[in-house]
Amino acid sequence: MPTLASRIETAAGSAGSITFVTGAGADRVPYAVLHDEARAMAAVLQARGIAPGGHVAVLGPTTRPLVTAIEAVWLTGATLVVLPLPMRLGSIEQFAAQTRQRMASADVTLLVVDPDLAPFIEPAPGDPPMVLLSVLTGDQRRLHITAAQFDRPEDDATALAMLQFTSGSTADPKGVMLPNHTICANLDAITEAAELDANRDVMVSWLPLYHDMGLVGFCMLPLSTGTDLVLGAPQDFLAAPSRWLEWLSTYGGTATAGPNFSWVLATRALRSASGLDLSPLRIALNGAEPVDPETVESFVEAATPFGMRAGAVFPAFGMAEVMIAGTFPAPLAGLRTDQVDQRVLETERYAAPTETNSNGSRRLALLGKPVPGLEIRVVDPENGTVRHDREVGELEIRGTSVTPGYYGRPDLNAELFHDGWLRTGDLAYLLEGELVVCGRIKDVIIVGGRNVFPEDVERVAGAVDGVRAGNVIAFGVDANGKEGVIVVAETKSPDVDLTRRSVSERVRGAIGMPPKDIVLVAPGTLPKTSSGKLQRSLCRDRYLDEDLAPL
């Protein structure tokens, strides 16, 4: 049975390459060259005692040396742990504490860190040995270590190739165990479901490599198939979202991906763009956070003048516990939605179809069918009874790429599975075999017997002028035995009172009741995970502790 390392070795013999792009230029590296550099770095790691069974953490921004180190760890047969970067400079102490927590829970035996980040992780008692990424590269020259000195370990498909931490949006991050055979199964599934052609496709990404969509979908997949990759860094995209579109146009990108908020930024960038060619794009994946149909449609409208096919948009579902890919639509199927009665959905947990596009309806994106090797079902979260089409319940998954569990957490693993099926914690329903996700079970707000989904509140509040789209959190709090809806939103508006009234009106129109409280805060206030997901439970705690600093 093949391993990730063996697949990377095979792909190194292809004509493919990885092009590292920044705001300043580009560096094209054939996979054969990258593989030789990784073999030499793997030999250096072996000289430091790294072998199968070891756990190596890497920490750094997206660069050629970082990608080389990632491949080198896999080649040694050790387990890779890619650590998140700090979200904000003001949270360095929290970043250092969270980094140590992840390393401890993953039993990391060596930390490889970018020199620019090393000062933030000063060695402390209990820390694993730390080596600078630049030192590893320097050791090759100083010790005259070459790729030929790499001692190839035997393949072991059952060995743990990676620990991928969950986002921590609803709970503390957990290390998802991903053995080689699980990884290879999902890579095969992605290749088949997306109809990937390594000789023709060009993948373009700015996604962080510590997030599974970036690491698996847009690093591991091209490295192991020989598909051309154009790789930028998140900070370069966020500094100028137009770069993403320029990279797609310049290199003839056929496949790319991003969370819903990134497509909002891309749409804004397109409004002032010129001379782009997006016609080669056939997969514009929207995932990692709830898919907003209006966001997708706005992007299509803005991108169509530049040649993009409407069918290229690709709403999908994935999670770290299945490696990454869970359900995919057919390529070039485009956005397809199910319009349902919102009140019936909230009170009866049934997706009753409606043709009326009004405040009483809700449009939900169809996210496709399970990728090859996986099965999905929806069950009653309380008794496990399998639900029928349009009946809302908890999504469960089983198959070839499902994780065996969380590393070192037998207490959680016992609750993770139900009769051999992975419990996702997502509220969803099926429609002729296709998945529709409604929200997270833990986030649902129960008001007057209704199940209000925070995504509905956040979407309409985020559309208010002055509110930062993608930077709104809604949750419920108890007051006198009755739960009410709280909205916390970031804003730069000079008229806070007007913004607050507008949010209240929009929310009332969407869910039939006004928020119990609206808190407007400065940009950068809302708590987010390392991958940028909103942390509703933490925001709720800060609200109750009166620790949000309202404007």
Side-chain angles (χ1 to χ4, degrees):
M1 186 180 295
T3 62
L4 181 57
S6 66
R7 292 190 175 202
I8 289 174
E9 288 175 333
T10 301
S14 72
S17 65
I18 179 170
T19 302
F20 296 93
V21 288
T22 64
D27 177 21
R28 180 184 177 276
V29 185
Y31 283 132
V33 173
L34 184 73
H35 184 57
D36 278 346
E37 293 175 356
R39 289 173 65 220
M41 189 174 289
V44 173
L45 289 172
Q46 289 177 328
R48 289 177 173 268
I50 299 302
H55 291 189
V56 179
V58 297
L59 174 63
T62 301
T63 60
R64 178 172 173 175
L66 184 81
V67 174
T68 304
I70 287 172
E71 181 176 337
V73 173
W74 284 326
L75 292 179
T76 66
T79 300
L80 175 73
V81 182
V82 183
L83 296 169
L85 299 175
M87 287 292 293
R88 301 183 178 101
L89 290 178
S91 60
I92 293 300
E93 289 184 2
Q94 182 181 12
F95 157 71
Q98 291 175 342
T99 298
R100 285 195 166 87
Q101 180 184 10
R102 283 183 170 90
M103 289 195 296
S105 62
D107 289 332
V108 168
T109 52
L110 178 69
L111 169 63
V112 178
V113 62
D114 184 278
D116 290 339
L117 290 174
F120 303 125
I121 310 292
E122 291 289 344
D127 284 356
M130 182 174 73
V131 59
L132 298 182
L133 191 52
S134 56
V135 170
L136 287 184
T137 304
D139 281 354
Q140 296 174 33
R141 296 187 295 268
R142 183 173 58 83
L143 302 176
H144 306 291
I145 294 176
T146 66
Q149 292 168 267
F150 167 59
D151 184 12
R152 172 74 156 81
E154 292 185 7
D155 286 331
D156 182 358
T158 65
L160 193 60
M162 190 166 72
L163 282 176
Q164 176 65 47
F165 278 93
T166 59
S167 64
S169 58
T170 58
D172 291 336
K174 301 173 286 290
V176 178
M177 295 188 290
L178 296 168
N180 274 282
H181 67 84
T182 300
I183 290 174
C184 291
N186 203 243
L187 293 176
D188 288 343
I190 295 172
T191 300
E192 181 178 344
E195 299 177 6
L196 184 71
D197 185 339
N199 297 316
R200 296 183 179 180
D201 276 311
V202 177
M203 305 178 71
V204 178
S205 177
W206 55 266
L207 297 168
L209 295 179
Y210 53 80
H211 187 269
D212 45 9
M213 190 157 70
L215 179 60
V216 178
F218 287 84
C219 181
M220 189 183 295
L221 180 64
L223 278 178
S224 63
T225 58
T227 307
D228 283 339
L229 171 65
V230 178
L231 183 62
Q235 63 268 26
D236 287 325
F237 159 70
L238 292 172
S242 59
R243 288 173 179 159
W244 184 16
L245 306 164
E246 291 165 1
W247 296 334
L248 285 166
S249 178
T250 300
Y251 296 96
T254 63
T256 192
N260 195 80
F261 85 86
S262 67
W263 296 107
V264 175
L265 298 180
T267 301
R268 293 173 183 169
L270 281 170
R271 290 172 183 153
S272 59
S274 63
L276 298 176
D277 179 11
L278 301 180
S279 60
L281 189 61
R282 67 179 189 86
I283 293 181
L285 191 152
N286 185 322
E289 61 185 35
V291 177
D292 177 19
E294 292 185 4
T295 293
V296 175
E297 289 168 345
S298 295
F299 174 73
V300 170
E301 182 181 359
T304 297
F306 299 100
M308 196 198 82
R309 294 167 285 183
V313 294
F314 198 86
F317 171 81
M319 59 190 306
E321 288 85 348
V322 297
M323 181 62 183
I324 179 58
T327 63
F328 274 8
L332 294 176
L335 173 70
R336 292 160 304 118
T337 62
D338 187 33
Q339 188 160 291
V340 301
D341 187 299
Q342 183 169 339
R343 184 164 292 275
V344 174
L345 184 70
E346 292 174 350
T347 57
E348 301 179 26
R349 290 204 172 181
Y350 181 78
T354 176
E355 297 180 359
T356 304
N357 188 12
S358 66
N359 288 337
S361 67
R362 182 184 181 192
R363 280 201 306 156
L364 296 164
L366 274 68
L367 304 177
K369 295 184 177 181
V371 298
L374 293 182
E375 300 174 78
I376 62 175
R377 71 178 186 181
V378 173
V379 304
D380 186 308
E382 296 179 1
N383 58 33
T385 304
V386 177
R387 309 287 278 169
H388 298 102
D389 267 18
R390 293 195 172 277
E391 293 180 345
V392 176
E394 182 176 11
L395 173 65
E396 294 187 339
I397 307 177
R398 72 177 180 187
T400 54
S401 58
V402 172
T403 177
Y406 300 126
Y407 183 77
R409 297 299 304 270
D411 55 323
L412 297 179
N413 293 335
E415 302 175 358
L416 183 60
F417 295 96
H418 166 226
D419 292 338
W421 292 77
L422 174 77
R423 302 185 63 181
T424 66
D426 288 301
L427 277 177
Y429 63 92
L430 298 182
L431 188 59
E432 297 180 354
E434 291 205 58
L435 176 66
V436 181
V437 174
C438 305
R440 294 287 293 173
I441 292 175
K442 291 183 178 180
D443 290 336
V444 170
I445 306 167
I446 302 175
V447 184
R450 294 172 54 193
N451 293 284
V452 176
F453 298 97
E455 293 88 353
D456 292 340
V457 177
E458 293 161 357
R459 183 178 64 254
V460 296
V464 171
D465 288 342
V467 173
R468 299 184 69 213
N471 289 275
V472 182
I473 289 180
F475 52 85
V477 296
D478 289 322
N480 300 320
K482 184 178 180 180
E483 191 164 25
V485 177
I486 309 299
V487 178
V488 183
E490 294 185 355
T491 182
K492 291 183 177 179
S493 172
D495 193 336
V496 173
D497 290 337
L498 175 61
T499 301
R500 185 177 290 107
R501 288 195 301 270
S502 299
V503 169
S504 180
E505 291 171 3
R506 291 287 186 92
V507 173
R508 180 195 289 271
I511 66 173
M513 67 181 77
K516 179 178 178 60
D517 193 11
I518 298 170
V519 182
L520 299 180
V521 296
T525 300
L526 294 183
K528 296 184 179 182
T529 69
S530 59
S531 58
K533 291 184 180 180
L534 298 168
Q535 292 180 295
R536 295 191 183 102
S537 59
L538 181 55
C539 187
R540 182 179 183 275
D541 291 343
R542 291 182 180 176
Y543 172 82
L544 294 174
D545 291 339
E546 299 182 355
D547 192 28
L548 281 175
L551 295 174

